Amino acid sequence: MDEPLCSASITATERFEHVLGKAMEVDSTSPDTGQQGGCTSACGRERPCAVGEDGEDNFVDCFLFMKIATQRVRLATLSIAAVAAFPVAAQTAPASALKEVVVTTSRFEESANTLPYSVGVITAQDIHDSGAATVSEAIIRLLGIPGKLDTSGGNSQAIDLRGFGETASSNQVIVVDGRRMNEADMSSANLSSIAIDSIQTIEVLRGSGAVLYGEGATGGVIVITTKAGKGVQRQTGATLTGSAGSQGLRDLRSTAVLVAGNWSVDIAAQDRKSDGHRNNFASTGNSLASTVQWSNDQLRVGVQSGRTLQQSGLPGAITLTQFQTDATVAASTTDWAKSKFENTGVFAQTWLGDWELGLDVGQRTKQLEAENYGLTAYQVEGSSANLRARHQKDGDLFKNVLTVGFDNNQWKRSDSMSYGFASTTVGTSDSNAVYFTDDVTYRPSTTKLSMGLRSDSINKSQTSSPSARASETQ
């Protein structure tokens, strides 16, 4: 059995950022752990700007409350990795006894054994055996990745790859069936909206994935593939699962598949209720997702849609003394939050000789209203599109795999707040990127040389009212 004896990896990332102002911070000491958390919108770091050819500054900015900011940025990421493997004495079971693991973190299906980096993989069977009820719970329980309870309710947990803490969501990319789900306002992607029974695999890349996924992939990438998104062969059938637990937990999940010739329809639904571990922390959530697709040996096309509704009480922060006296006490018995998530998308995949082509286009909206010492409401509109191609050429001594692609992501958030006065903030983000990777494998020793390059063009802006004023870069 050939085993990797040594490996070397060199990654160079050039990124220029400039942060304007200071974000509003909200003290939200956890009543359960005593740790500081809550709402923060600052990057917390400041670096020199890069000067473009036109003499104007190019920079990246975080979204800040009550600020006006515009910026442009070009990000270039170069990655080179070499992995060498040499024959050594086999002391374990033959390789043929191990089941091959296929992953899609390279944006196309590929054997995990050929990758120059490590990927953690959770299968549908792993999820079933673990008893995990949500995507976040599966990742935390099966891969040992840190997470924390989302204090906005909804039984959601935020994932933190590689210990970025409060900025974790802006340093990890989450992709569902080829579509990027990250928000540009540092808020976490809503993983609880994905029906756990609809998942085929969850792949976690711990480490930079900047070449393939661009901005925000410093800490890693989480790639979620549903059974419908995988396009696996299935039979007509349905499942219904119910469970109950402590603190008034009730969970009902169902899936259905209808297959007719080359057509298939997938439907997944979930309804979850909990009284919570504190007063005024009861939550409800329900989701519905559907996919219709047609496929044959050369082509696969389909459309997808989903909707999630969540509502929860907000008990608020309490002191350590209050927690030690009664951990269930609520600072507020009337505050609440409710949210609605909707998404639609189309996808296509085809094979032409040595080429494989893929296209994913999606649009999503997020609406949230909350009563927490004043009424807060915001709406997010996002869209993403990616076109990619992969070419593989096999020779007697060398195998070459070339991947090229184009990404477009657009995002807009409108905030309305009323804390004795009314204010509105609008932030936008628009990015375009091109990238390529090339992997050359020397077959006799399985030595692989991987290289890649990505160029991003990002435009972000933010305006506030009623007192809007221009913000300039020095």
Side-chain angles (χ1 to χ4, degrees):
M1 172 181 176
D2 292 347
E3 296 183 358
L5 184 62
C6 64
S7 64
S9 178
I10 303 174
T11 302
T13 302
E14 183 179 6
R15 180 176 179 180
F16 298 98
E17 298 181 351
H18 187 80
V19 179
L20 299 180
K22 182 178 180 182
M24 177 179 70
E25 298 183 357
V26 178
D27 181 15
S28 59
T29 304
S30 170
D32 300 330
T33 64
Q35 296 180 348
Q36 296 291 328
C39 172
T40 177
S41 301
C43 288
R45 298 182 180 178
E46 185 171 330
R47 303 179 185 174
C49 297
V51 179
E53 297 179 356
D54 56 359
E56 296 182 358
D57 291 338
N58 298 329
F59 56 91
V60 179
D61 189 16
C62 292
F63 283 109
L64 310 179
F65 288 111
M66 303 304 293
K67 297 289 181 183
I68 304 175
T70 60
Q71 68 284 331
R72 300 189 308 273
V73 65
R74 291 188 180 276
L75 302 179
T77 304
L78 173 65
S79 178
I80 301 176
V83 177
F86 304 94
V88 296
Q91 299 179 0
T92 60
S96 58
L98 301 177
K99 183 179 180 180
E100 183 183 29
V101 178
V102 177
V103 297
T104 58
T105 50
S106 63
R107 294 214 168 188
F108 290 96
E109 289 189 357
E110 189 172 358
S111 173
N113 296 331
T114 66
L115 299 178
Y117 48 79
S118 175
V119 178
V121 180
I122 301 173
T123 66
Q125 187 62 46
D126 294 332
I127 295 173
H128 178 271
D129 294 342
S130 72
T134 65
V135 175
S136 299
E137 186 179 343
I139 295 174
I140 294 171
R141 182 181 298 183
L142 295 175
L143 295 182
I145 294 175
K148 65 178 182 179
L149 181 67
D150 185 351
T151 55
S152 64
N155 298 292
S156 180
Q157 291 175 301
I159 302 298
D160 183 2
L161 289 178
R162 305 187 68 83
F164 279 89
E166 292 299 324
T167 61
S169 59
S170 60
N171 285 283
Q172 60 195 24
V173 171
I174 296 177
V175 178
V176 179
D177 286 341
R179 294 181 294 277
R180 184 172 175 140
M181 304 300 290
N182 289 71
E183 307 294 358
D185 58 358
M186 298 180 66
S187 64
S188 301
N190 184 34
L191 294 181
S192 62
S193 64
I194 306 171
I196 190 70
D197 291 334
S198 69
I199 292 177
Q200 178 72 13
T201 59
I202 303 174
E203 303 165 26
V204 178
L205 166 62
R206 308 188 203 192
S208 179
V211 171
L212 287 172
Y213 295 96
E215 183 188 22
T218 305
V221 182
I222 300 175
V223 179
I224 301 171
T225 304
T226 65
K227 296 172 183 177
K230 182 79 169 179
V232 296
Q233 294 290 335
R234 300 182 308 287
Q235 296 180 344
T236 297
T239 64
L240 180 63
T241 305
S243 61
S246 60
Q247 299 169 353
L249 175 64
R250 291 89 72 196
D251 190 12
L252 183 64
R253 306 191 301 267
S254 63
T255 62
V257 179
L258 175 62
V259 179
N262 292 337
W263 290 91
S264 66
V265 178
D266 292 75
I267 299 176
Q270 182 170 7
D271 185 82
R272 185 179 175 91
K273 296 180 175 65
S274 173
D275 294 337
H277 63 284
R278 294 177 59 192
N279 298 330
N280 192 35
F281 206 26
S283 62
T284 62
N286 58 77
S287 61
L288 177 66
S290 61
T291 302
V292 179
Q293 60 182 302
W294 180 92
S295 63
N296 61 13
D297 293 338
Q298 297 295 324
L299 177 66
R300 187 169 73 94
V301 294
V303 296
Q304 174 273 337
S305 66
R307 181 178 183 180
T308 300
L309 301 176
Q310 293 180 340
Q311 184 168 346
S312 174
L314 301 178
I318 58 176
T319 66
L320 178 60
T321 301
Q322 289 176 312
F323 173 75
Q324 292 173 337
T325 303
D326 184 2
T328 66
V329 69
S332 171
T333 58
T334 58
D335 289 347
W336 52 269
K338 61 181 180 180
S339 58
K340 179 172 71 172
F341 304 84
E342 296 180 316
N343 65 85
T344 57
V346 298
F347 57 88
Q349 187 177 16
T350 187
W351 295 263
L352 301 173
D354 294 332
W355 286 92
E356 180 179 353
L357 306 177
L359 171 68
D360 289 288
V361 179
Q363 185 174 15
R364 66 187 186 278
T365 61
K366 174 183 177 181
Q367 296 176 338
L368 182 141
E369 293 182 7
E371 176 65 42
N372 185 18
Y373 302 107
L375 183 62
T376 301
Y378 72 81
Q379 177 171 316
V380 172
E381 299 175 6
S383 64
S384 64
N386 71 79
L387 176 64
R388 59 199 183 279
R390 181 179 187 268
H391 179 269
Q392 178 172 324
K393 190 67 175 179
D394 295 319
D396 294 335
L397 294 179
F398 293 95
K399 181 180 76 171
N400 185 78
V401 178
L402 173 68
T403 302
V404 296
F406 168 78
D407 288 338
N408 172 263
N409 291 283
Q410 298 182 15
W411 183 88
K412 178 181 178 181
R413 170 169 168 162
S414 303
D415 291 70
S416 297
M417 295 182 290
S418 177
Y419 295 92
F421 63 92
S423 64
T424 301
T425 303
V426 178
T428 63
S429 175
D430 187 2
S431 66
N432 294 282
V434 292
Y435 64 88
F436 88 91
T437 64
D438 193 25
D439 300 333
V440 180
T441 303
Y442 181 59
R443 289 183 175 276
S445 65
T446 66
T447 300
K448 172 183 275 192
L449 174 65
S450 300
M451 62 191 73
L453 178 67
R454 182 185 183 96
S455 177
D456 281 269
S457 176
I458 304 175
N459 292 280
K460 295 185 178 182
S461 67
Q462 182 162 313
T463 58
S464 300
S465 64
S467 56
R469 63 181 185 274
S471 178
E472 298 180 357
T473 304
Q474 300 295 327

